[in-house]
Amino acid sequence: MKNFLRILGHIEELTVGGLLLLLAVGTTIQVMTRYFLGMTFDWFDEGSRYLLVFVTFAGAGMAVKYGAHFSMEAVTQYAPPRIAAALRTLAALLSAAVMLVIAWYGWEQTTLLARYGMTTASLGMPMWVAYLPIPVFGVGIALRFLGRALGQARIMFGQTAEERD
Amino acid sequence: MVWFIVCTFLGLLLLSTPIAIVVLATTAGAVSIFLNVPLTALVQQLFRGLDNFLLLSIPFFILAGNIMAEGRIAHYLVQSMDACVGRFRGGLALAGILTCMFFAAISGSSPATVIAVGSIMIPALIRSGYSEKFSIGLITSAGTLGILIPPSIPMVLYSLVGNTSVSDMFMAGVVPGVIRVIIFGAFAVYMARRFNWGATSSHSLGETLRILGRASWGLAMPLIVLGGIYSGIFTPTEAAGVSVVYALLVETFIYRSLTWEKLRVILVKSAVLSSALLFIIACAMPFIWLLTREQLPVQAAEFIGAHISNKYVFLFLVNILLLAVGCVMDIVTSILVLTPIFLPMLAHFDIDPVAWGIMMIVNVEIGFLTFPFGLNLFVAMGITKKPLTYIARAVMPFLLLLFVCLLMVTYIPVISTWLPFALK
C-alpha cells in the first residue's frame, strides 16, 4: 500500500511538472508557426487554459504534501509546541472540510454541465470534463489535509523528545 | 456581512490555515449565510478565475527561473558583471546589484533572484573582504528587484485584478528599477570605500570579452523576452513560455549542465510552487466576485472619500496600511484582495492605476524583507545558515533606502508612468 502510494505520488509529480513543460513547448511552437507560417491554433489556447485548471488542482494536493501552501504562522511559530500542534490540527481539519464542500458542489456543477451537454468553444470537448479536476482533486486535497491533521494530532497527544528524557 | 468576513478571515488566518483556504472558507460562509445563491456559483467563479491565458505565464516564469538558477546561466552572469565593473573598489558589490538587475530581467520572482544570485555572490563578496552582514543584506534586498524589473509575477497578478495592461505595468517598472540600482550602487560603493572592503579584480580585455562571450546566451535573454513583447511578436504569456524553452535549450545543448535528475527536481519544485500560487488565485476569484457583487469596495471608497479629501494624505495612509499588511500577509493574497478594494478610490482621487500598481509592487518588495514573514529573509537564511534575526538586521539599511524609493514612486508618479506612455 505504501509503495503504491509512493509510486502514485511520483506519477503525480511528473505529470504536473511534465505538463507545465509541455505547455511551454506548445506555446513556443505556437509563436513560431504564427511568426513564420502565419498559422494560429485556437484550440491550443483553449486547451492550455483547461489544462491549467487541471495542473492547479492536481498540484494543490502536492503542495499540501510539501507544506508549500502559504499560511500565516504568526501565532503557531511563537506558541508552545503542543498548542501550536493543536491549532494546526484544527486548521488542517477545517481545510479538509472546506475542500470537501467545494468537491461536493464541484461534482454538482460537473453533473449539471454533463446533463445539459455543453461543449467548449473550439475543441468541442464536453464542458464537464474541464470541470472534473475540481471534484476529483478536491477530494484528494481534502484527504491530504486529513493526513496532515493526523500528523499534527500525533504531535499534540504524543510525547515530545524533551519530555521522554 | 462585513463583520462576518473580517472576523472569519482573521480568525482562520491566525489558526495558520493556508491562506487560499482562508479566502475560500470566508467566501463560502458569507455566500451561504447572507446570499440566496447556490454554492455551485462559487465553483464557477473558482473555475473562471483560472480560465485565463495570462495566468499560464506564472508557472512559466517560475520554471524558467528555476532552470537558470540550477543551471549555469546565473553563474556566468555573475562572472561577466564582475569582469566588467570589478576593477575598482566597491566593484564587486556593484556587480552583485547589476547581476540581480539582469537576473530580474529574465525571471519574475524575488526569492528566485536571491537564490540564483545570492548562493554565488554572497560567498564571493565575503571572500573578497566585504563584511558578512553587509554582503547578506545587500543581495537579499537587491533580490527584490526581481519583481520591479520586468518580467514580474506580482505585476501579472496586479494587471489581472486591476484592469491594466501587463505590458504597461512591465514598462512602468523599468525606470524605478534603474533608480533603485543607482541608489543601492552608490550606497554600496560608498560603504566599500569608507571601510576599505573588497579587493579589486583585474581582467585583461581579452579575458573580459571571453567571459562576456560565454555569458552572452544569458545576457541576450532580456532582449529576447522584452524585445519580443514590445515589438509585438509575442504576448507576455508567450514570452514566458519562450523563455522556458530558451533556458532549457541553452542549459542542455550549450552549457550541458542539465541532467535528468536535475530536470526532475526543477520540474517538481516549479510545479509545487506554481500550484500553491495558482491555487490562491483560484480561491481569491470567488472572494473578489463577492466583494464586487455586494459593492463593498464602492461603499468603502465613498466612506473614505467622505473622510479624507487630500490625495497626499490618502496615499500616505494607504502606504502605512500596505506596509502593515505586508508584514503579516503573503504578497499574492495582499495584491489580489486589496486591489479590488482600492480600485474605485483611484478614480475618486485621480490616481493613475499604473503608478498605483508600481507603488503596490514597491510595498510588496518591502514586505519581502520585513521580519517575521519576509520571504527573502527565509531564502537568505537557507543560503547562509544564519539566524532570521541576523538577516533581518542585515537588511535594515537597505530597507531605509527602499522607503526613500517608496516615497519617490508614491509622490512622483511620473517616474512610473513616463516610459509606458512614451512608448505608445
Side-chain angles (χ1 to χ4, degrees):
Chain A
M1 184 65 189
K2 239 186 182 142
N3 256 332
F4 173 72
L5 276 181
R6 216 188 56 220
I7 293 169
L8 208 65
H10 274 299
I11 294 175
E12 181 186 29
E13 284 173 359
L14 288 181
T15 313
V16 175
L19 267 178
L20 284 181
L21 196 59
L22 209 67
L23 284 172
V25 173
T27 307
T28 309
I29 293 175
Q30 165 101 318
V31 170
M32 301 277 216
T33 56
R34 190 181 56 217
Y35 190 71
F36 293 111
L37 307 171
M39 290 195 311
T40 52
F41 309 102
D42 288 341
W43 57 265
F44 180 76
D45 185 288
E46 190 184 279
S48 57
R49 278 183 286 126
Y50 294 144
L51 276 179
L52 190 70
V53 177
F54 176 90
V55 164
T56 304
F57 276 85
M62 280 160 57
V64 178
K65 188 173 98 184
Y66 284 95
H69 281 295
F70 299 94
S71 60
M72 205 186 83
E73 304 279 342
V75 178
T76 44
Q77 202 169 22
Y78 299 105
R82 280 197 179 186
I83 295 179
L87 291 177
R88 289 202 184 106
T89 312
L90 189 59
L93 283 176
L94 275 170
S95 308
V98 171
M99 283 323 293
L100 281 178
V101 170
I102 294 299
W104 174 264
Y105 284 99
W107 179 247
E108 205 157 274
Q109 174 73 12
T110 311
T111 48
L112 204 71
L113 286 169
R115 220 176 306 138
Y116 291 144
M118 288 209 331
T119 52
T120 64
S122 58
L123 280 171
M125 180 183 83
M127 197 63 198
W128 63 268
V129 177
Y131 267 84
L132 200 58
I134 300 182
V136 172
F137 292 114
V139 172
I141 299 169
L143 287 178
R144 283 233 161 97
F145 272 123
L146 281 180
R148 199 180 143 78
L150 214 62
Q152 291 295 331
R154 274 207 197 111
I155 299 177
M156 183 169 79
F157 292 116
Q159 288 177 324
T160 59
E162 293 137 41
E163 281 169 337
R164 263 201 307 272
D165 291 337
Chain B
M1 180 157 99
V2 174
W3 286 112
F4 172 83
I5 291 179
V6 172
C7 293
T8 319
F9 198 95
L10 290 181
L12 289 176
L13 204 61
L14 290 176
L15 271 182
S16 81
T17 319
I19 290 176
I21 303 283
V22 172
V23 182
L24 198 57
T26 309
T27 317
V31 167
S32 45
I33 296 173
F34 298 101
L35 300 187
N36 195 12
V37 177
L39 277 178
T40 42
L42 203 95
V43 175
Q44 285 169 15
Q45 292 299 327
L46 207 65
F47 183 83
R48 251 176 238 158
L50 289 172
D51 188 4
N52 187 329
F53 194 61
L54 182 61
L55 280 181
L56 211 54
S57 65
I58 292 172
F60 288 171
F61 281 134
I62 292 175
L63 195 53
N66 279 339
I67 294 173
M68 291 183 292
E70 292 278 331
R72 309 291 296 170
I73 291 181
H75 190 84
Y76 290 149
L77 267 182
V78 175
Q79 281 187 346
S80 64
M81 292 298 144
D82 180 39
C84 288
V85 293
R87 59 189 72 248
F88 57 89
R89 196 162 282 287
L92 192 62
L94 205 56
I97 300 170
L98 287 176
T99 319
C100 283
M101 184 180 85
F102 250 98
F103 198 79
I106 47 186
S107 93
S109 131
S110 170
T113 310
V114 178
I115 295 173
V117 181
S119 43
I120 315 165
M121 206 69 201
I122 294 175
L125 281 167
I126 296 172
R127 233 180 300 129
S128 109
Y130 287 82
S131 102
E132 187 180 57
K133 207 171 188 176
F134 176 84
S135 314
I136 294 174
L138 176 74
I139 302 298
T140 311
S141 359
T144 60
L145 281 170
I147 60 167
L148 186 60
I149 302 255
S152 151
I153 292 171
M155 284 184 189
V156 172
L157 293 175
Y158 176 77
S159 315
L160 197 73
V161 285
N163 289 325
T164 47
S165 117
V166 187
S167 310
D168 281 357
M169 277 304 288
F170 277 7
M171 267 300 118
V174 173
V175 177
V178 171
I179 292 178
R180 167 87 45 78
V181 170
I182 294 171
I183 293 179
F184 272 24
F187 177 67
V189 171
Y190 166 77
M191 291 295 277
R193 301 221 156 169
R194 183 164 164 208
F195 295 106
N196 230 357
W197 286 334
T200 50
S201 65
S202 58
H203 297 274
S204 67
L205 185 65
E207 210 178 343
T208 307
L209 286 178
R210 197 180 53 80
I211 292 173
L212 276 178
R214 197 172 49 182
S216 60
W217 292 100
L219 290 168
M221 227 169 140
L223 281 182
I224 297 172
V225 170
L226 297 180
I229 296 177
Y230 293 101
S231 61
I233 297 178
F234 38 60
T235 63
T237 308
E238 289 169 346
V242 170
S243 68
V244 170
V245 174
Y246 180 84
L248 198 66
L249 291 179
V250 170
E251 295 288 5
T252 317
F253 294 109
I254 294 165
Y255 295 154
R256 298 180 186 277
S257 62
L258 277 189
T259 56
W260 279 110
E261 180 52 28
K262 247 188 187 170
L263 185 65
R264 199 186 67 83
V265 172
I266 291 170
L267 283 180
V268 172
K269 223 167 40 179
S270 312
V272 168
L273 180 61
S274 311
S275 334
L277 285 177
L278 289 168
F279 192 56
I280 294 182
I281 297 166
C283 294
M285 287 304 163
F287 183 69
I288 294 170
W289 163 78
L290 174 71
L291 288 183
T292 324
R293 196 191 133 100
E294 296 303 298
Q295 299 203 314
L296 296 179
V298 178
Q299 286 171 24
E302 277 167 6
F303 177 79
I304 289 185
H307 287 80
I308 303 172
S309 51
N310 188 309
K311 177 176 167 181
Y312 299 101
V313 174
F314 170 70
L315 282 172
F316 183 76
L317 292 176
V318 165
N319 272 317
I320 302 277
L321 175 77
L322 289 176
L323 290 173
V325 170
C327 283
V328 292
M329 233 159 82
D330 81 290
I331 50 140
V332 179
T333 328
S334 50
I335 289 184
L336 288 174
V337 170
L338 291 177
T339 304
I341 295 180
F342 281 122
L343 220 48
M345 295 176 211
L346 300 193
H348 179 90
F349 285 107
D350 191 26
I351 298 168
D352 187 278
V354 171
W356 174 273
I358 296 297
M359 189 189 90
M360 281 197 90
I361 298 290
V362 177
N363 266 299
V364 165
E365 290 186 277
I366 294 174
F368 270 124
L369 296 175
T370 45
F371 190 74
F373 304 111
L375 212 49
N376 280 19
L377 301 180
F378 287 103
V379 172
M381 205 167 93
I383 300 174
T384 59
K385 312 281 177 245
K386 293 276 173 204
L388 192 62
T389 44
Y390 179 87
I391 293 165
R393 275 202 304 276
V395 299
M396 275 302 173
F398 300 95
L399 263 182
L400 288 179
L401 296 178
L402 266 173
F403 279 124
V404 175
C405 298
L406 178 61
L407 284 177
M408 282 170 75
V409 296
T410 306
Y411 289 114
I412 320 174
V414 71
I415 297 176
S416 322
T417 50
W418 173 74
L419 192 59
F421 285 99
L423 284 178
K424 271 185 191 153

